[in-house]
């Protein structure tokens, strides 16, 4: 439990820095956020393209710029800060892939992925949300390796379920059912 | 009716949250989720999961150059940044990029006496994104399609062999599925429809070929 206390303290100081950036355009606070998040964002990019160091820098830079510009729209009551950063990194990755794809999609992803975070939750949802996140964190470590591997391919390496099934030489149905089992154990699926 | 048929399944929601879904499909998920508190909740959880997985990665520090470059750019970023504006609240946020002046002013084309359609765009995988507009009580003749078809009801309601579908409902039909949707009598029905298909080629040959691969509502 000592570990989770330090991680929640760290989260509180990160949130404080975001607030300073939002309210005072504080560059020292921004530099702190850079030190904490850039290595993670780079790792996220390298998980998909292991040797692409420049791509990793580009993604990290893009995410950090969005943090600077959007800090005032971040509300800790609506989303955990780490989750907010994850969604920014994911959105930047989607933009990057769209710009660099052979057949460019005519669909602008900007408005597609930003309609969830803005809705204000009721007090019940807030309690529920914090508990859900704690469940995910504590149960992730206990997940069978075969399920954890698939989640990592899907979320970090950015593979589709189809690509995951080809790489692991597993039937598509097995991949889907392992994802489903993992989500159930993590209590991500509230209703099914 | 099985309630789960009006929501995207967990495979689609997971791919949406992970960012690996083709944008045309993500567009449908987004249009549904805007009206669905249940899926909003699940996507929040899925995003939390993505975040936890990201925290477990081995950090890869950036160079001091990168930091200096970025810090030097911050002031100019503020100068050029424009706050996004919201336009029409009656239209799904994710569709604003295609619909600037309401549904009425789109270039609707007549497909059958009961149905009009307008193509919004193409995805990079060749999928066609369009709106369909069915008259009150109007029917589409039985049809099949080449690939999967994703539908979200934006206005009104319709029914087919499997049940009644209302505003916000999400449906996925695969190529083997034959269905005959009928709009309900109380109003017209507007749907967002994404049909997977082969990549469209431009040029003479494709103009000869395209009518063959187009979905037909006879
Ligand atoms: Zn739903």
């Amino acid at each position: 439990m000592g570990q989770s206390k330090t991680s929640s303290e760290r989260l509180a100081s990160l949130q404080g820095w975001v607030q300073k950036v939002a309210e005072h355009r504080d560059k020292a606070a921004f530099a702190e956020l850079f030190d904490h998040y850039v290595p993670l964002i780079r790792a996220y990019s390298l998980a998909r393209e292991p040797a692409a160091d420049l791509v990793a820098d580009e993604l990290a830079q893009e995410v950090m710029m969005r943090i600077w510009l959007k800090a005032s729209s971040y509300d800790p009551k609506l989303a955990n800060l780490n989750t907010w950063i994850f969604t920014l990194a994911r959105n930047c990755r989607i933009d990057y892939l769209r710009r660099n794809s052979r057949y460019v999609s005519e669909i602008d992803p900007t408005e597609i992925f930003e309609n969830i975070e803005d809705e204000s939750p009721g007090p019940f949802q807030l309690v529920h949300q914090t508990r859900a996140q704690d469940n995910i964190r504590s149960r992730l470590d206990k997940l069978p390796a075969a399920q954890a591997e698939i989640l990592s391919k899907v979320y970090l390496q950015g593979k589709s379920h189809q690509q995951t099934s080809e790489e692991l030489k597993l039937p598509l149905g097995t991949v889907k059912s392992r994802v489903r089992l993992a989500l159930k154990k993590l209590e991500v699926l509230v209703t099914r | 009716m099985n309630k789960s048929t009006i929501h995207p399944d967990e495979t689609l929601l997971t791919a949406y949250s992970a960012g690996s879904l083709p944008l045309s499909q993500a567009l449908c998920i987004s249009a549904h989720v805007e009206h669905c508190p249940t899926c909003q909740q699940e996507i929040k959880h899925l995003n939390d999961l993505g975040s936890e997985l990201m925290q477990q990665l081995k950090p890869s520090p950036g160079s001091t150059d990168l930091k200096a470059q970025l810090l030097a750019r911050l002031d100019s970023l503020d100068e050029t940044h424009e706050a996004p504006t919201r336009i029409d609240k009656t239209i799904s946020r994710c569709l604003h990029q295609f619909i600037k002046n309401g549904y009425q002013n789109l270039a609707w084309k007549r497909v059958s006496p009961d149905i009009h359609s307008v193509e919004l765009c193409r995805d990079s995988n060749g999928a066609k994104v369009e709106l369909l507009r069915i008259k009150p009580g109007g029917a589409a003749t039985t049809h099949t399609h080449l690939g999967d078809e994703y539908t979200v009801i934006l206005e009104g309601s319709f029914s087919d062999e499997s049940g009644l579908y209302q505003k916000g409902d999400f449906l996925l039909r695969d190529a083997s599925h034959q269905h005959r949707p009928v709009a309900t009598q109380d109003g017209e029905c507007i749907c967002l429809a994404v049909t997977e298909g082969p990549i469209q080629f431009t040029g003479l040959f494709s103009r000869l070929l395209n009518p063959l691969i187009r979905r037909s509502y006879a």
Side-chain angles (χ1 to χ4, degrees):
Chain A
M1 282 293 115
Q3 167 106 40
S4 91
K5 196 177 176 211
T6 50
S7 89
S8 74
E9 280 168 358
R10 193 171 55 217
L11 195 61
S13 44
L14 289 165
Q15 274 175 3
W17 288 322
V18 171
Q19 205 177 342
K20 281 184 178 168
V21 167
E23 290 169 9
H24 309 295
R25 309 314 274 153
D26 185 331
K27 288 178 188 165
F30 183 78
E32 298 280 4
L33 291 171
F34 182 102
D35 291 341
H36 181 80
Y37 281 115
V38 163
L40 283 175
I41 300 163
R42 281 177 41 84
Y44 173 69
S45 181
L46 292 168
R48 186 174 185 283
E49 285 186 78
D53 209 53
L54 289 176
V55 175
D57 275 356
E58 193 184 320
L59 188 81
Q61 189 157 330
E62 188 60 40
V63 175
M64 291 312 295
M65 293 197 300
R66 292 197 191 184
I67 293 174
W68 177 258
L69 292 172
K70 289 169 168 250
S72 60
S73 72
Y74 171 69
D75 181 349
K77 292 200 285 296
L78 299 188
N80 176 290
L81 180 59
N82 289 334
T83 301
W84 185 59
I85 307 283
F86 165 73
T87 58
L88 291 179
R90 177 204 61 196
N91 296 354
C92 288
R93 176 188 272 183
I94 292 168
D95 281 347
Y96 172 83
L97 293 174
R98 175 175 178 248
R99 285 199 310 271
N100 291 283
S101 107
R102 192 158 154 224
Y103 300 102
V104 174
S105 176
E106 295 170 16
I107 302 166
D108 178 355
T110 315
E111 298 284 322
I112 295 182
F113 290 92
E114 289 182 1
N115 65 8
I116 320 292
E117 291 84 4
D118 298 358
E119 312 298 330
S120 24
F124 165 75
Q125 282 169 294
L126 272 182
V127 175
H128 180 77
Q129 206 169 300
T130 315
R131 203 175 49 215
Q133 181 131 24
D134 291 345
N135 278 344
I136 291 169
R137 187 176 308 128
S138 61
R139 289 172 193 196
L140 202 50
D141 293 332
K142 296 170 198 131
L143 220 54
Q147 289 168 25
E149 181 186 30
I150 288 178
L151 288 184
S152 148
K153 282 215 178 281
V154 169
Y155 270 96
L156 304 174
Q157 297 179 27
K159 302 282 198 269
S160 68
H161 290 72
Q162 182 65 45
Q163 288 166 321
T164 302
S165 100
E166 284 160 15
E167 284 189 15
L168 297 177
K169 299 192 169 50
L170 289 168
L172 184 58
T174 307
V175 168
K176 288 184 178 178
S177 70
R178 282 190 191 168
V179 169
R180 192 185 167 82
L181 273 174
L183 298 182
K184 279 204 162 157
K185 282 191 191 135
L186 300 169
E187 295 188 2
V188 165
L189 300 176
V190 270
T191 56
R192 350 185 160 195
Chain B
M1 186 181 66
N2 178 0
K3 198 174 181 305
S4 71
T5 60
I6 63 164
H7 300 280
D9 69 8
E10 71 278 355
T11 301
L12 282 168
L13 289 181
T14 304
Y16 173 86
S17 162
S20 59
L21 209 57
L23 291 175
S24 50
Q25 294 174 28
L27 191 70
C28 292
I29 306 290
S30 186
H32 166 75
V33 167
E34 212 172 306
H35 297 284
C36 181
T38 305
C39 288
Q40 279 169 26
Q41 196 64 37
E42 297 205 340
I43 283 172
K44 274 188 174 145
H45 292 176
L46 285 163
N47 289 346
D48 286 340
L49 169 59
S51 160
E52 290 302 329
L53 290 163
M54 185 176 168
Q55 306 308 310
Q56 292 186 343
L57 287 168
K58 186 170 168 285
S60 166
S63 64
T64 46
D65 277 0
L66 184 65
K67 191 173 173 181
Q69 274 171 24
L70 190 55
L71 285 168
R73 283 183 68 182
L74 295 179
D75 290 326
S76 67
L77 269 183
D78 279 333
E79 282 159 25
T80 53
H81 182 65
E82 284 172 41
T85 49
R86 275 206 73 167
I87 343 157
D88 185 348
K89 289 207 168 189
T90 62
I91 288 176
S92 273
R93 185 169 167 175
C94 62
L95 294 174
H96 281 170
Q97 57 182 303
F98 306 112
I99 308 170
K100 308 282 185 210
N101 298 304
Y103 293 122
Q104 307 305 323
N105 293 309
L106 293 167
W108 294 98
K109 290 200 177 87
R110 184 177 176 277
V111 179
S112 80
D114 287 345
I115 296 171
H116 284 73
S117 77
V118 55
E119 182 174 322
L120 300 181
C121 68
R122 294 277 173 169
D123 197 359
S124 54
N125 62 2
K128 178 163 76 171
V129 181
E130 64 186 337
L131 295 184
L132 300 177
R133 187 173 178 177
I134 314 171
K135 272 191 190 168
T141 47
T142 305
H143 71 277
T144 54
H145 22 83
L146 283 168
D148 289 345
E149 183 185 60
Y150 300 77
T151 309
V152 180
I153 302 187
L154 302 173
E155 298 293 337
S157 50
F158 76 69
S159 58
D160 70 6
E161 295 81 357
S162 316
L164 174 70
Y165 301 98
Q166 288 162 318
K167 183 168 176 167
D169 287 357
F170 173 95
L171 290 86
L172 170 55
R173 298 281 187 247
D174 67 28
S176 65
H177 197 106
Q178 284 214 355
H179 66 124
R180 187 172 192 274
V182 179
T184 49
Q185 291 294 343
D186 50 338
E188 68 174 6
C189 176
I190 299 178
C191 300
L192 170 66
V194 168
T195 329
E196 311 258 89
I199 300 252
Q200 288 274 303
F201 301 98
T202 50
L204 175 65
F205 182 65
S206 69
R207 259 176 275 143
L208 297 172
L209 193 69
N210 282 344
L212 302 176
I213 58 176
R214 275 184 57 190
R215 176 174 53 157
S216 59
Y217 275 108

